[in-house]
Amino acid sequence: MLSAFQQFFTGRPTIEIARDLLGKLVTYDGPDGRTGGYIVECEAYLGENDSASHAFNGRRTSYSESLYGQPGNIYLYQIRGHYCFDIVVQDAEEPQGILLRGLEPAINPDVIVHHRGMSGVNVTNGPAKLVQALGIHSRQLDGQPMEGNQLTVDLEKFKIPREIITAPRVGVNLAGKDGAAPQRFYVAGNPYVSGIRKRDMDLKTQGWRA
């Protein structure tokens, strides 16, 4: 039987789960202590029928095996020398996932800045940036359940977006049949959203409800 934590990540469309992840708190207990931030941007990948998915057309390798695991598991993968963090969603053997693209630093921001060697919004406004900012430098946690893990999402502590924007995903093959699918979601106005223009930033509320 699935735990209440796992049930959050299945039983409804992946797009709905992705939208509900916005505002949830990611935490990581690493060698330098706990770091964390609120999810402000993510993308949904819908498995074997999604041309942008690592499981498109039933592709299944030892590298992507974690996508076929239990809901709420970690899928950590490497691309061009950088690590990215996906959350596995839907039931086992249904390889759908949600890529985290942006975090608003919330726990030990000074450590996050140290990990990245820079400050400002560029510290966590991209999928590889946020993984490095948390202090993760390997695939050691790949395939592990998030529940009770050193890398997890706190479903009880969250902020509520004032508005959610839906847009096409970033960095996918636009020639694929789902290349322009509106499966990216972000908190309108949050400065830690990747590629957001300065004039669209809400520096007063950062896009959250009061």
Side-chain angles (χ1 to χ4, degrees):
M1 177 178 292
L2 297 178
S3 68
F5 180 91
Q6 290 174 308
Q7 289 175 23
F8 177 90
F9 297 100
T10 189
R12 55 203 173 117
T14 296
I15 285 175
E16 183 178 331
I17 300 170
R19 291 174 62 91
D20 279 356
L21 274 175
L22 294 177
K24 300 298 189 292
L25 182 66
V26 173
T27 62
Y28 174 62
D29 292 313
D32 299 327
R34 172 167 287 194
T35 52
Y38 293 101
I39 300 170
V40 299
E41 180 183 9
C42 60
E43 293 176 339
Y45 290 84
L46 308 185
E48 296 181 352
N49 294 317
D50 184 343
S51 65
S53 169
H54 290 179
F56 181 51
N57 278 342
R59 183 169 61 241
R60 186 170 185 167
T61 67
S62 58
Y63 194 86
S64 62
E65 182 64 25
S66 298
L67 264 179
Y68 291 81
Q70 294 290 331
N73 280 10
I74 297 165
Y75 176 38
L76 269 174
Y77 65 90
Q78 191 173 20
I79 182 168
R80 293 187 290 276
H82 301 288
Y83 296 97
C84 297
F85 173 27
D86 268 38
I87 299 172
V88 178
V89 296
Q90 306 308 338
D91 295 339
E93 300 300 316
E94 177 56 53
Q96 300 194 33
I98 296 170
L99 170 68
L100 302 191
R101 282 200 56 90
L103 291 181
E104 177 186 306
I107 300 175
N108 285 325
D110 55 330
V111 177
I112 286 173
V113 166
H114 173 72
H115 286 161
R116 287 279 290 134
M118 65 176 65
S119 59
V121 297
N122 286 326
V123 73
T124 49
N125 65 347
K129 295 177 184 179
L130 70 87
V131 172
Q132 182 183 26
L134 291 172
I136 298 170
H137 306 289
S138 75
R139 297 188 69 214
Q140 182 178 355
L141 297 174
D142 178 58
Q144 296 185 20
M146 283 194 305
E147 188 170 14
N149 204 306
Q150 64 188 107
L151 175 62
T152 192
V153 173
D154 189 334
L155 300 178
E156 303 300 320
K157 295 180 182 178
F158 56 87
K159 294 186 175 184
I160 300 175
R162 190 179 296 273
E163 179 186 0
I164 295 174
I165 302 294
T166 301
R169 293 170 291 186
V170 177
V172 302
N173 181 7
L174 295 177
K177 71 177 182 65
D178 303 301
Q183 291 168 205
R184 171 180 169 236
F185 308 96
Y186 62 90
V187 178
N190 191 281
Y192 292 93
V193 170
S194 61
I196 189 172
R197 297 171 296 188
K198 286 188 177 181
R199 67 172 180 264
D200 294 329
M201 293 180 182
D202 178 353
L203 299 179
K204 183 177 181 180
T205 69
Q206 302 201 123
W208 306 115
R209 291 186 186 176

